[in-house]
Amino acid sequence: MSAYIVRRLIGAIPLLLFISLVTYAMMALAPGGPVSVLGPRGGNLSPEVIANIKAQYGLDKPWYIQYFYWLKELLFHGSLGNSFVDHRPVIEKVFEKLPVTVEMIGLALLLTLIIALPIGIYAGAHRDSLVDNVASVVGFVFYGVPIFWLSIVLIDIFAVQLRWFPSSGISSLGAEGDPIDRLRHLALPVVAIALTGFVSWMRYQRSSVIEAMSSAYIRTARSKGLSERDVLFKHAFRNALLPIVTLLGLSLPALVGGAYFVEYVFSIPGVGYLTFSSIFSRDYPTIMAITMLTAVLIVAGNLLADIAYAVVDPRIRYT
Amino acid sequence: MRGLGRFLRERTAATGAGFVLLLVVLAVFGPLIDGTPPNAIDHAILGMPQPPSGAHWFGTDLLGRDIFVRALYGARVSLMVGAAAMIVSFTIGVSYGAIAGAAGGVLDAAMMRFVDAMLSFPTFFLLLIIAALTETFSLGIIILIIGLTSWPGLSRLVRAEVLSLRDRDFVEAARALGARPGRIVLRHLIPNALAPVVVAAAFAVGDNILAESSLSFFGLGVQPPQASWGNMLQDALAPEAQSAPWMVLVPGLLIIATILAFSVIADGIRVSLDRSISQSAADDEPPAELLAVPTAAGNSSRG
């Protein structure tokens, strides 16, 4: 097992290098560099000043040299560089935005599972029942709902008309440390994420219960006279949870990057919001840091999913 | 109950196809018949969006522009981007997957590593970066950006299909008759691998429409004043629009209905293709949208 993990980690290195190279190339080759977004002021700068600014940030060199410098800093000094915008270390910028996003996505994931798992299990155990049919119709409709549209609708109903929840931000003026106030601000974004995300979880859970219920050991359990309840919860349930374990691992990257829409519409100062602002201001180091963080999480999520799978299911062995 | 399910499914597939057809007809001919320009600003009602009425079926927006007319022009954009981007990703994905599958060996391994790497980018993140950095937002560029970021999944599908066909007797026979590899790929492997690709392509149109409206919503797609469902929703974000729910509902419901229509069409195609193989298996298989991996962020990562 540990040899397998080491091999997977080594295999991830070329992948991460490739992703960083492609992202850097795309950024640097796209028209309009960081200097062009100095805006109206940029138009009035003399060519010498522009050349000076470029030299100061190393932007006068070809993109592959720039990439090489970036990589050298990362490998030899463990540094992802400083932001072009405010000159702070990008690690610091990303990590101060991370808690809000992780909290929001974590709560959303929790709510998703609370909605999806019981309905999925019930629908799988009682196929074609009323609950199954209603759940599949509701699930079908939510499949087509764009998360940014749902966010606008939730704001219109619950923040503007009913005034139950605040419409944007993460805290009210003067109530910055108050956990209740924070939860009230997170309520609508969390609901928006959960409502658009629970469908696929529910349907996965449903089909894995159906699959488990049709296997031979269930027939054995039934034939020794166990009640349907015991069959479902003592035998089918454990096996039906396996795919969900994998999905949890695969959804790890969403903890960082999956919330651009919601953070944008609700003005929540998280990593998604930082992604937007750094893309628009051509802040190469920050874009690179977020890309690499997301890529690392994707690799780690895949690996964790495989490991967790082997832990819950002793039949699976990696060599 | 099972018979009812199948009946309903076929009815829904037909409804979906009917809706798309109606949308296409309205998008193509509607503006010709009505003739109201989509960007005609009515200064009398500037800043006072009017509710739906006989004169303005879906109401007006903040600039007094007719939302029904704009929605039709938006449908043109969405359908065109959805279909054209699908053709781009279809062309790349099918040829890439077929070549990898047919070649096998080191080339196949290398090509699939590249696909793995492409799939390691969150798609919408990639879309955002490219769209923001390109800075030009013509329809052609938007189509290219969406098409160029959505082919890797499709190429995997085609490769798997080609691998399962590669050693079949009829391919063997063609090889024995001296057919060149190019001919085998084009005449034997690709046509036989198309069935699942057609289903994926129908889903892809819906996904591309979602991607286009998301980009336009963020100001990175179709640029105002040209109407698109996404930038119409962007207009609806303005505080003055809060008293005008039709500004939110019309473009939103159109996006939802169109995505759902393409998804039931895809499902209908899948069921009828499956039926030609086996009658009973079709009902027990999960719908194709389950093949996509869900994330905590819901469909944001699908775009």
Side-chain angles (χ1 to χ4, degrees), chain A residues 145 149 193 200 203 258 282 298, chain B residues 120 135 248 287 289 294 296-297 299:
Chain A
V145 175
W149 182 76
I193 300 172
S200 26
R203 301 187 78 167
R282 301 290 190 280
I298 290 178
Chain B
S120 301
E135 277 182 332
V248 177
E289 75 248 29
N299 58 14

Side-chain angles (χ1 to χ4, degrees), chain A residues 123-189:
Chain A
H126 304 88
R127 284 178 76 182
D128 285 334
S129 64
L130 183 68
V131 171
D132 186 20
N133 283 327
V134 170
S136 81
V137 170
V138 171
F140 169 73
V141 172
F142 272 104
Y143 169 78
V145 175
I147 192 167
F148 58 88
W149 182 76
L150 185 66
S151 305
I152 303 174
V153 171
L154 288 177
I155 290 178
D156 266 4
I157 298 175
F158 295 103
V160 178
Q161 308 296 334
L162 297 173
R163 294 176 187 282
W164 288 356
F165 295 102
S167 67
S168 68
I170 192 65
S171 57
S172 310
L173 215 60
E176 275 77 12
D178 183 359
I180 302 290
D181 179 66
R182 195 177 169 91
L183 275 181
R184 275 170 45 83
H185 278 84
L186 285 175
L188 291 182

Side-chain angles (χ1 to χ4, degrees), chain B residues 31-65:
Chain B
L32 301 179
I33 297 167
D34 187 321
T36 314
N39 301 325
I41 295 171
D42 189 342
H43 290 279
I45 48 173
L46 207 61
M48 292 177 291
Q50 302 294 306
S53 66
H56 303 288
W57 290 359
F58 289 169
T60 63
D61 68 5
L62 287 173
L63 298 175
R65 298 174 297 192

Side-chain angles (χ1 to χ4, degrees), chain B residues 180-227:
Chain B
R180 275 172 292 112
R183 184 181 164 83
I184 291 179
V185 170
L186 284 178
R187 294 298 299 269
H188 298 280
L189 295 179
I190 289 184
N192 284 293
L194 276 185
V197 176
V198 171
V199 177
F203 271 116
V205 177
D207 283 350
N208 294 343
I209 289 176
L210 179 66
E212 180 274 314
S213 42
S214 310
L215 285 179
S216 301
F217 174 73
F218 289 119
L220 294 171
V222 178
Q223 298 298 300
Q226 188 182 8

Side-chain angles (χ1 to χ4, degrees), chain A residues 11 17 70 121 129 151 166 169 229 282 319:
Chain A
L17 279 176
W70 177 84
I121 291 169
S129 64
S151 305
R229 198 190 168 77
R282 301 290 190 280
T319 47

